[in-house]
């Protein structure tokens, strides 16, 4: 009875639509979108495993670094020999690359010759294979009359999985595609090739690069299309590569830039990741292959196996009586009798059924019309599954690139090569459609590569040569910024000499060494309410500080910030101080203290000659200020006069304070060992506690004190008053005074000319004070961005950046602010974000451009930090020697955006100071509200003394 039912069942199936019959038989091969998304997610997970150093060894998808860091930009040029080894044939080529023309306009020209690859060589020894390759190369050179009188660069396309530690080295991991050559696995195939070339003799050839055919395909398409960052091969084998962020490639040191990763995705599924998608036919193909259990994904999709999959399906259907009335010919039972070319022929649009009939007849079969329709449909399902699986893998790669870029959409080009893609009539269309369906937010363009594996190898070599040349030129440009220990020791020595000269009463000095009339640091007993006024840059701050007696670190602070418009900064002195008085009036209103007669400290962060704590004559403006009728005048008197003109409030201005001194005092309130102040921000400066006996400017001679250098004539009476103040302080046995070094002037006498670059000269000449503040112009935030812009402008004019295109923004002084250095040099910032910053500045950059910009920023900021570190070493060593100590423990109070916000500045400065002053243990303490709070502290300390 059962037999009758079975016969009846099969008979009914024989009568149905032949395509439905095949659909039901091959339901496991018909993948819907949810399954493809799941496969794509699994492949993405495998990619992540392969990229990680922790899981790479166990990963099926090896994600091999290629050491190719850039795609072509069209400027490549040169003449190269290429060996292309990867399939049943082997090619030798001469490739000429012409700059800026692109492949379509003849930018890449080739002469080639194909050499057979005998079967005995494919299963012979490695030396035999490479001797055959090198003899073929020698034959090609002779046949093409290529001169042997000069060295020829050679690129080697080797289309098998290799582990590369550099571009011209590769250890073979395993063979694929019917190659079973002995003695090469785990060996460097490039070195093996070099040895074979040497054995052949009479060839002067340098092997510069080894390239996978997939990578070469991407590079070929990238020569014409800058968006091409993915390579895909669907031919005898299959593979994909793409440009990955280097920070994700654990197997390669460094995190700057990108690197092409050769996925070797043919091995996807070797660890069982695809076991629920593998059919009995896939298992049969695998079992009969040269490498059972390996290259599972490749065996499901590549040209080497598609024909065999179709044959196995047709064979089984025939055995079950579903085809050919159950007849099975010997030819149909024979492995390899249906090829992938047959599969392509069966699916031709108009002639497909006719071709199918002819192919089946050649297998000694007598097909009916329904048989032909059914076999054609088998072919369609097998090849459609292939394109679907490739689409799923490609979707995973596109997802990863989109995530790397943190982008909502993605515009990208995929370079494609391989016989299946090229010759199968339906394959490309199906692939494109499914990729776009799986990734609708990606704008994907597919470009067919022409001789990609050969041209691409030459282009890889050309790109490598371009990058090496670029690297040399960038290094030459930046070398003057890279200071060695000997140069830093000289800067330290010159700073020390400048400090000593500035302390003397006579003679000019680039470093002014201005007395501050601050004789001691806080002791924690300061108390009361004080007003602090802080002018040091483009902002003015008014602060109310309340110190509570006897409680260390207990200060309440209220403040308000006011901008100083450019027209006020560069207008008249009267306008500037009237503006300050207006801001103070507003603040007192804001605090409800207009009628209070408060003691005030005035932080004035510009070089001043002081004759007492509450007088300060402006020596010169810095930091972009240029208000007239101020230099040579007492700034405290000017402020008092402005307050008097306003006639709304009254202040007792007790002290005029440099921001650097204020920073030191603020930090000394927290740490009694703080006796140095450092500002590294818009400007730069240092102050420190100097021994009174060393300050010759304050020493009386013949009953009268020498006039402090820069003190205006006719103010000698004030100078005498200073003498009296110093004597009174001396009676109280105070032996130190804080000196405001104004170290930004180092080099104004030419002492730094040997380290000043042409870019520094340009910045100096275009500044508001040419020839002044030379050290500050090398180290401070006001100028670093402009130095970077000058370097970028020079590199661009030399064709090394932005494709040589000098934009208007790049020509605009001041556009590259120092804050961009801090952002660009951040370790957390990906190059894509660097490109975004440059784009905001109107600079359209490539990834390579971004790397160079980051390097320029790093060189300029590192030099600045090293110079500050060398200067600091001079200061702390002087303090140590002043005190006759073998070892000094000291704290430096620091303020300034450059020190606080730049990711590396503080570390480089500290390390330089440590190395150059090994007998000093220096602690750097960042200041909180330093300059303002410090002015209040100086006022409090001075008031305590009077009380």
């Amino acid at each position: 009875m059962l037999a009758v039912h079975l016969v009846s069942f099969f008979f009914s199936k024989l009568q149905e639509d032949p395509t439905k019959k095949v659909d039901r038989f091959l339901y496991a091969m018909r993948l819907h979108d949810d399954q493809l998304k799941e496969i794509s997610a699994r492949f993405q997970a495998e990619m992540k495993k392969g990229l990680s150093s922790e899981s790479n060894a166990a990963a099926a998808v090896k994600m091999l670094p290629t050491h190719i860091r850039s795609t072509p930009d069209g400027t490549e040029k040169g003449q190269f020999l290429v060996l292309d080894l990867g399939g049943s044939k082997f090619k030798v080529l001469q490739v000429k690359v012409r700059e800026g023309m692109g492949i379509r306009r003849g930018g890449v020209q080739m002469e080639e010759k194909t050499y057979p690859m005998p079967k005995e060589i494919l299963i012979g020894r490695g030396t035999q294979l490479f001797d055959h390759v090198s003899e073929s190369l020698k034959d090609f050179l002779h046949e093409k009359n290529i001169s042997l009188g000069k060295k020829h660069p050679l690129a080697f396309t080797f289309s098998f999985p290799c582990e590369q530690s550099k571009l011209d080295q590769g250890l073979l991991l395993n063979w694929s595609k019917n190659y079973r050559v002995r003695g090469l696995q785990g060996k460097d195939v490039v070195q093996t090739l070099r040895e074979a070339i040497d054995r052949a003799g009479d060839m002067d050839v340098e092997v510069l690069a080894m390239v996978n055919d997939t990578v070469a395909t991407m590079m070929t398409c990238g020569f014409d299309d800058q968006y091409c960052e993915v390579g895909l091969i669907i031919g005898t084998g299959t593979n994909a590569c793409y440009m990955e962020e280097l920070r994700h490639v654990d197997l390669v040191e460094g995190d700057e830039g990108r690197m092409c990763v050769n996925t070797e995705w043919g091995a996807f599924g070797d660890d069982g990741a695809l076991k629920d998608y593998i059919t009995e036919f896939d298992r049969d193909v695998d079992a009969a292959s040269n490498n059972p259990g390996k290259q599972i994904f490749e065996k499901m999709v590549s040209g080497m196996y598609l024909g065999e999959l179709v044959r196995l399906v047709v064979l089984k259907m025939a055995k079950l009586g579903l085809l050919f009335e159950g007849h099975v010919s010997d030819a149909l039972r024979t492995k390899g009798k249906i090829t992938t070319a047959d599969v392509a022929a069966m699916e031709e649009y108009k002639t497909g059924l006719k071709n199918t009939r002819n192919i089946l007849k050649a297998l000694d079969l007598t097909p009916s019309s329904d048989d032909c329709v059914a076999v054609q449909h088998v072919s369609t399902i097998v090849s459609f599954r292939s394109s679907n699986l490739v689409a799923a893998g490609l979707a995973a790669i596109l997802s990863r690139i989109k995530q790397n870029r943190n982008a909502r959409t993605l515009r990208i080009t995929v370079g494609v090569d391989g016989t299946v893609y090229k010759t199968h009539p339906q394959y490309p269309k199906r692939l494109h459609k499914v990729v776009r369906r799986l990734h609708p937010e990606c704008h994907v363009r597919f470009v067919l590569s022409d001789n990609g594996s050969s041209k691409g190898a030459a282009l890889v070599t050309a790109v490598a040569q371009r990058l090496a040349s670029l690297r040399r030129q960038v290094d030459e440009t930046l070398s003057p910024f890279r200071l060695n220990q000997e140069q830093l020791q000289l800067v330290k020595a010159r700073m020390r000499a400048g400090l000593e000269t500035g302390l003397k009463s006579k003679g000019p000095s680039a470093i002014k060494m201005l007395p501050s009339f601050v004789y001691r640091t806080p002791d924690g007993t300061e108390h009361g309410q004080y007003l602090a006024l802080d002018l040091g840059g483009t902002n003015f701050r008014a602060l109310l500080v309340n110190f509570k007696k006897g409680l260390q670190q207990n200060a309440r602070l209220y403040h308000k910030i006011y901008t100083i418009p450019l027209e006020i900064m560069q207008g008249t002195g009267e306008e500037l101080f009237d503006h300050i008085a207006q801001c103070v009036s507003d603040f007192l209103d804001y605090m409800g203290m207009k009628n209070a007669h408060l003691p005030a400290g005035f932080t004035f962060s510009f070089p001043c000659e002081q004759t007492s704590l509450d007088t300060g004559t402006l020596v010169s403006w810095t930091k972009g200020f240029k208000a007239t009728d101020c230099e040579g005048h007492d700034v405290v008197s000017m402020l008092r006069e402005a307050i008097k003109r306003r006639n709304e409030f009254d202040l007792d201005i007790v002290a005029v304070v440099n921001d650097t001194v204020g920073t030191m005092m603020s930090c000394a309130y927290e740490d009694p060992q703080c006796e140095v102040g450092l500002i590294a921000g818009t400007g730069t400066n240092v102050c420190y506690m100097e021994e009174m006996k060393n300050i010759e400017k304050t020493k009386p001679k013949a009953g009268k004190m020498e006039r402090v250098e820069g003190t205006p004539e006719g103010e000698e009476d004030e100078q005498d008053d200073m003498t009296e103040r110093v004597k009174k302080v001396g009676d109280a046995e105070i032996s130190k005074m804080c000196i405001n070094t104004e170290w930004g002037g180092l080099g104004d006498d030419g002492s730094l000319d040997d380290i000043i670059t042409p870019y520094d000269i340009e910045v100096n000449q275009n500044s508001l004070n040419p020839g002044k503040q030379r050290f500050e112009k090398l180290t401070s935030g006001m100028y670093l961005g402009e130095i970077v812009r000058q370097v970028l402008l020079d590199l661009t004019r030399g064709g090394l950046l932005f494709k040589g295109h000098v934009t208007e923004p790049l020509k605009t002084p001041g556009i590259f602010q120092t804050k961009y250095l801090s952002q660009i040099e951040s370790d957390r910032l990906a190059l894509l974000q660097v490109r975004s910053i440059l784009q905001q500045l109107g600079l359209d950059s490539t990834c390579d451009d971004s790397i160079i910009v980051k390097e320029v920023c790093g060189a300029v900021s590192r030099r600045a930090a090293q110079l500050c570190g060398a200067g600091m070493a001079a200061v702390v060593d002087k303090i140590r020697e002043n005190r006759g100590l073998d070892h000094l423990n000291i704290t430096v109070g620091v303020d300034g955006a450059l020190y606080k916000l730049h990711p590396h500045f503080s570390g480089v400065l500290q390390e330089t100071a440590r190395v150059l002053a090994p007998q000093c243990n220096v602690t750097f303490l960042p200041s909180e509200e330093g300059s303002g709070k410090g002015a209040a502290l100086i006022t409090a300390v001075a008031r305590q003394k009077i009380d």
Side-chain angles (χ1 to χ4, degrees), residues 910-921:
Q910 292 172 28
E911 176 62 14
T912 306
R914 185 189 66 77
V915 170
L916 297 183
Q919 293 168 271
C920 300
N921 180 27

PDB file of all heavy atoms in Angstrom, residues 910-921:
ATOM      1  N   GLN A 910      56.489  68.678  31.497  1.00  0.00           N
ATOM      2  CA  GLN A 910      56.961  68.090  32.752  1.00  0.00           C
ATOM      3  C   GLN A 910      58.142  67.146  32.527  1.00  0.00           C
ATOM      4  O   GLN A 910      59.127  67.171  33.275  1.00  0.00           O
ATOM      5  CB  GLN A 910      55.816  67.343  33.439  1.00  0.00           C
ATOM      6  CG  GLN A 910      54.724  68.262  33.955  1.00  0.00           C
ATOM      7  CD  GLN A 910      53.505  67.494  34.460  1.00  0.00           C
ATOM      8  OE1 GLN A 910      53.616  66.352  34.905  1.00  0.00           O
ATOM      9  NE2 GLN A 910      52.339  68.101  34.376  1.00  0.00           N
ATOM     10  N   GLU A 911      58.033  66.311  31.480  1.00  0.00           N
ATOM     11  CA  GLU A 911      59.109  65.360  31.197  1.00  0.00           C
ATOM     12  C   GLU A 911      60.398  66.092  30.821  1.00  0.00           C
ATOM     13  O   GLU A 911      61.496  65.703  31.250  1.00  0.00           O
ATOM     14  CB  GLU A 911      58.672  64.416  30.068  1.00  0.00           C
ATOM     15  CG  GLU A 911      59.729  63.432  29.597  1.00  0.00           C
ATOM     16  CD  GLU A 911      60.195  62.466  30.677  1.00  0.00           C
ATOM     17  OE1 GLU A 911      59.538  62.360  31.744  1.00  0.00           O
ATOM     18  OE2 GLU A 911      61.246  61.831  30.471  1.00  0.00           O
ATOM     19  N   THR A 912      60.289  67.165  30.029  1.00  0.00           N
ATOM     20  CA  THR A 912      61.474  67.928  29.622  1.00  0.00           C
ATOM     21  C   THR A 912      62.135  68.565  30.837  1.00  0.00           C
ATOM     22  O   THR A 912      63.363  68.517  30.989  1.00  0.00           O
ATOM     23  CB  THR A 912      61.091  69.010  28.597  1.00  0.00           C
ATOM     24  OG1 THR A 912      60.395  68.403  27.512  1.00  0.00           O
ATOM     25  CG2 THR A 912      62.319  69.729  28.058  1.00  0.00           C
ATOM     26  N   ALA A 913      61.331  69.168  31.719  1.00  0.00           N
ATOM     27  CA  ALA A 913      61.876  69.781  32.933  1.00  0.00           C
ATOM     28  C   ALA A 913      62.553  68.732  33.808  1.00  0.00           C
ATOM     29  O   ALA A 913      63.631  68.979  34.387  1.00  0.00           O
ATOM     30  CB  ALA A 913      60.764  70.483  33.705  1.00  0.00           C
ATOM     31  N   ARG A 914      61.960  67.551  33.900  1.00  0.00           N
ATOM     32  CA  ARG A 914      62.550  66.478  34.726  1.00  0.00           C
ATOM     33  C   ARG A 914      63.909  66.044  34.203  1.00  0.00           C
ATOM     34  O   ARG A 914      64.868  65.880  34.967  1.00  0.00           O
ATOM     35  CB  ARG A 914      61.595  65.277  34.757  1.00  0.00           C
ATOM     36  CG  ARG A 914      62.021  64.146  35.665  1.00  0.00           C
ATOM     37  CD  ARG A 914      61.156  62.919  35.475  1.00  0.00           C
ATOM     38  NE  ARG A 914      61.337  62.329  34.154  1.00  0.00           N
ATOM     39  CZ  ARG A 914      62.388  61.587  33.800  1.00  0.00           C
ATOM     40  NH1 ARG A 914      63.368  61.353  34.651  1.00  0.00           N
ATOM     41  NH2 ARG A 914      62.460  61.084  32.587  1.00  0.00           N
ATOM     42  N   VAL A 915      63.999  65.888  32.876  1.00  0.00           N
ATOM     43  CA  VAL A 915      65.255  65.425  32.268  1.00  0.00           C
ATOM     44  C   VAL A 915      66.346  66.501  32.363  1.00  0.00           C
ATOM     45  O   VAL A 915      67.513  66.194  32.643  1.00  0.00           O
ATOM     46  CB  VAL A 915      65.019  65.039  30.791  1.00  0.00           C
ATOM     47  CG1 VAL A 915      66.331  64.788  30.071  1.00  0.00           C
ATOM     48  CG2 VAL A 915      64.127  63.801  30.710  1.00  0.00           C
ATOM     49  N   LEU A 916      65.974  67.757  32.178  1.00  0.00           N
ATOM     50  CA  LEU A 916      66.981  68.837  32.147  1.00  0.00           C
ATOM     51  C   LEU A 916      67.319  69.372  33.534  1.00  0.00           C
ATOM     52  O   LEU A 916      68.327  70.073  33.681  1.00  0.00           O
ATOM     53  CB  LEU A 916      66.481  69.988  31.263  1.00  0.00           C
ATOM     54  CG  LEU A 916      66.271  69.666  29.776  1.00  0.00           C
ATOM     55  CD1 LEU A 916      65.843  70.911  29.016  1.00  0.00           C
ATOM     56  CD2 LEU A 916      67.546  69.102  29.154  1.00  0.00           C
ATOM     57  N   ALA A 917      66.508  69.070  34.531  1.00  0.00           N
ATOM     58  CA  ALA A 917      66.823  69.485  35.913  1.00  0.00           C
ATOM     59  C   ALA A 917      66.687  68.273  36.823  1.00  0.00           C
ATOM     60  O   ALA A 917      65.769  68.192  37.652  1.00  0.00           O
ATOM     61  CB  ALA A 917      65.894  70.612  36.357  1.00  0.00           C
ATOM     62  N   PRO A 918      67.589  67.304  36.698  1.00  0.00           N
ATOM     63  CA  PRO A 918      67.428  66.028  37.415  1.00  0.00           C
ATOM     64  C   PRO A 918      67.550  66.147  38.936  1.00  0.00           C
ATOM     65  O   PRO A 918      67.116  65.244  39.650  1.00  0.00           O
ATOM     66  CB  PRO A 918      68.560  65.159  36.832  1.00  0.00           C
ATOM     67  CG  PRO A 918      69.559  66.132  36.298  1.00  0.00           C
ATOM     68  CD  PRO A 918      68.787  67.327  35.840  1.00  0.00           C
ATOM     69  N   GLN A 919      68.123  67.256  39.435  1.00  0.00           N
ATOM     70  CA  GLN A 919      68.280  67.416  40.885  1.00  0.00           C
ATOM     71  C   GLN A 919      67.082  68.131  41.513  1.00  0.00           C
ATOM     72  O   GLN A 919      67.109  68.462  42.695  1.00  0.00           O
ATOM     73  CB  GLN A 919      69.573  68.185  41.197  1.00  0.00           C
ATOM     74  CG  GLN A 919      70.838  67.386  40.836  1.00  0.00           C
ATOM     75  CD  GLN A 919      72.083  68.256  40.877  1.00  0.00           C
ATOM     76  OE1 GLN A 919      72.460  68.871  39.888  1.00  0.00           O
ATOM     77  NE2 GLN A 919      72.697  68.311  42.040  1.00  0.00           N
ATOM     78  N   CYS A 920      66.064  68.375  40.714  1.00  0.00           N
ATOM     79  CA  CYS A 920      64.868  69.053  41.216  1.00  0.00           C
ATOM     80  C   CYS A 920      63.650  68.148  41.056  1.00  0.00           C
ATOM     81  O   CYS A 920      63.432  67.592  39.980  1.00  0.00           O
ATOM     82  CB  CYS A 920      64.630  70.357  40.457  1.00  0.00           C
ATOM     83  SG  CYS A 920      65.988  71.537  40.579  1.00  0.00           S
ATOM     84  N   ASN A 921      62.912  68.007  42.135  1.00  0.00           N
ATOM     85  CA  ASN A 921      61.649  67.267  42.076  1.00  0.00           C
ATOM     86  C   ASN A 921      60.531  68.297  41.985  1.00  0.00           C
ATOM     87  O   ASN A 921      60.168  68.941  42.976  1.00  0.00           O
ATOM     88  CB  ASN A 921      61.499  66.404  43.335  1.00  0.00           C
ATOM     89  CG  ASN A 921      60.205  65.624  43.332  1.00  0.00           C
ATOM     90  OD1 ASN A 921      59.674  65.311  42.269  1.00  0.00           O
ATOM     91  ND2 ASN A 921      59.675  65.333  44.506  1.00  0.00           N
TER      92      ASN A 921
END
